[in-house]
Amino acid sequence: MASEIILPALVILIFVVALIKKVDAYEAFISGCKEGLGLFVNVFSSLLAMMLSISLLRESGVFDILSDFICKIFPSIPAPIFPLVMFRPISGSASLAILIDIFKNFGPDSLAGKMASVIQGSTDTTLYVITLYFSTVGIKKIKNSLWIGLFADFVGITLGILLTLKFMS
Amino acid sequence: MSKIWSFMILISLFVGIGSGRITSLNQVLVSVGQETLDFALPMMASTCFFSGVMYVAKEGGLMSALEKLLRPFFRLILPDLKNNPEALQYISANIVINMFGLGFAATPSGLKAMQLMQKDNPKKDTATRSMITFLVLNTAGVTILSTMIVSLRAQFNAVIPTDYMPYAIIATTCACIAGLLMDRWCNYRGK
């Protein structure tokens, strides 16, 4: 499989360039790791909040009721995908919680798991980015930026679903 | 968000109790903290690893090389920033860091770019054209390697954790192009 080579090739490229440029690769690696460690503190709390609501939605049967309904409209798409499609543009931690939920219950190599990975990787959290960036500089009139962002999400997610159905099932 | 979140919790509790799934609800309430930690810890550990590798890439100048490569493209889609090369520089840094899946590391340069654009903004409470184009580029941004997804897939024993990547790259590229075209079209119509 060609995609198996992506990661090792990328690491080789990075370290060869670092060697040529005489960069202190070890120091750079360590400071990158530290940055990642700081992320944990920020992400854990919001991830926990979202895991709580997502787990409850699933265990209570609310997801089943919704999925049954939507499956009648789009029969070829795996049902667990729909919550992800709904939450992807709204909340990064919620969609991450749903992704974990799908991996846990169906496995990352199931159709749902693959499709969820592609969807999660195909867009960023539009609402979060727009709120953060505009509020930081004090802009209130955001014109049509939200709609354009959501439109792009829609294109990315739809394409992600179609590509997975065509090539990975 | 807070309302949606509370609503999700309440509705599931009511539906769950109504349909007699009280045992599984209890199960979730008692164990969700432990479970989240079980996922989050290994995920963060391998995100740390990727973050480390990407910092080596950054120090080695791979990212700034890509930035230079993309600069003409940014100049083309952000014509209003002709006289603001500094903002343009922060924008390309932001987009390139995002490409490598280091979203959290990209935010500072993105906010800096917003502040620089805000300085030249005649109407301080209204978004400028360049700001909107930049945010479209950012939210629909092309991501080559999403460190978190790869880490998670590896953690759940995917046969090839990176096998979803080619499709995600195609989808994200098309989403980005679609967003930019839509942005252009809106500008064109607005004139």
Side-chain angles (χ1 to χ4, degrees), chain A residues 28-147:
Chain A
F29 186 84
I30 298 293
S31 62
C33 282
K34 276 190 190 142
E35 188 100 12
L37 217 52
L39 181 71
F40 177 75
V41 184
N42 291 328
V43 169
F44 181 73
S45 320
S46 50
L47 189 61
L48 177 55
M50 287 307 159
M51 282 302 283
L52 174 67
S53 55
I54 301 298
S55 307
L56 281 177
L57 279 173
R58 186 169 38 76
E59 287 302 323
S60 65
V62 175
F63 268 177
D64 295 341
I65 299 168
L66 283 178
S67 305
D68 281 353
F69 177 68
I70 301 171
C71 268
K72 285 188 185 117
I73 313 173
F74 304 99
S76 55
I77 304 172
I81 291 297
F82 290 107
L84 182 65
V85 172
M86 242 173 66
F87 279 102
R88 186 71 198 100
I90 304 172
S91 158
S93 3
S95 55
L96 191 60
I98 298 169
L99 185 71
I100 292 173
D101 203 67
I102 291 173
F103 283 176
K104 196 174 75 177
N105 290 299
F106 305 93
D109 288 323
S110 64
L111 181 60
K114 284 177 176 169
M115 197 177 276
S117 311
V118 175
I119 292 175
Q120 181 81 6
S122 69
T123 66
D124 206 335
T125 319
T126 301
L127 214 65
Y128 169 77
V129 171
I130 285 183
T131 319
L132 175 74
Y133 280 45
F134 277 140
S135 64
T136 310
V137 291
I139 279 172
K140 292 187 191 74
K141 291 180 191 141
I142 63 166
K143 294 206 236 171
N144 44 21
S145 53
L146 183 63
W147 297 113

Side-chain angles (χ1 to χ4, degrees), chain B residues 47-67:
Chain B
T47 307
C48 279
F49 160 75
F50 282 118
S51 170
V53 173
M54 288 312 160
Y55 264 63
V56 178
K58 203 168 109 189
E59 290 295 311
L62 264 182
M63 286 195 186
S64 52
L66 194 59
E67 263 175 62

Side-chain angles (χ1 to χ4, degrees), chain B residues 11-189:
Chain B
I11 197 144
S12 3
L13 287 174
F14 284 133
V15 170
I17 292 171
S19 58
R21 302 198 190 199
I22 301 174
T23 326
S24 20
L25 290 183
N26 269 314
Q27 189 69 31
V28 171
L29 291 176
V30 175
S31 62
V32 69
Q34 172 76 44
E35 250 181 48
T36 310
L37 187 69
D38 287 347
F39 301 130
L41 215 51
M43 180 179 78
M44 288 304 155
S46 60
T47 307
C48 279
F49 160 75
F50 282 118
S51 170
V53 173
M54 288 312 160
Y55 264 63
V56 178
K58 203 168 109 189
E59 290 295 311
L62 264 182
M63 286 195 186
S64 52
L66 194 59
E67 263 175 62
K68 279 208 193 86
L69 207 69
L70 288 174
R71 197 79 52 91
F73 166 71
F74 290 132
R75 225 171 279 148
L76 182 77
I77 59 168
L78 295 160
D80 295 351
L81 292 182
K82 267 200 307 275
N83 305 316
N84 202 344
E86 209 187 343
L88 211 57
Q89 189 188 334
Y90 279 110
I91 288 174
S92 41
N94 175 272
I95 301 298
V96 168
I97 299 172
N98 260 328
M99 275 184 168
F100 285 91
L102 297 173
F104 53 96
T107 308
S109 56
L111 294 180
K112 188 84 194 155
M114 285 300 277
Q115 279 157 6
L116 287 168
M117 284 187 274
Q118 176 73 338
K119 229 167 41 188
D120 297 340
N121 186 0
K123 277 189 267 169
K124 294 288 178 206
D125 66 336
T126 309
T128 64
R129 187 182 151 188
S130 313
M131 285 177 178
I132 296 177
T133 309
F134 167 51
L135 285 193
V136 170
L137 206 57
N138 184 309
T139 63
V142 175
T143 313
I144 297 170
L145 172 77
S146 175
T147 55
M148 248 185 215
I149 302 175
V150 176
S151 314
L152 262 180
R153 289 178 63 81
Q155 191 191 325
F156 281 95
N157 302 316
V159 180
I160 308 163
T162 48
D163 65 353
Y164 78 97
M165 274 173 55
Y167 310 107
I169 291 173
I170 297 173
T172 176
T173 310
C174 292
C176 191
I177 293 169
L180 288 175
L181 286 177
M182 188 71 164
D183 175 51
R184 262 291 144 95
W185 187 66
C186 287
N187 275 325
Y188 178 73
R189 233 180 38 154

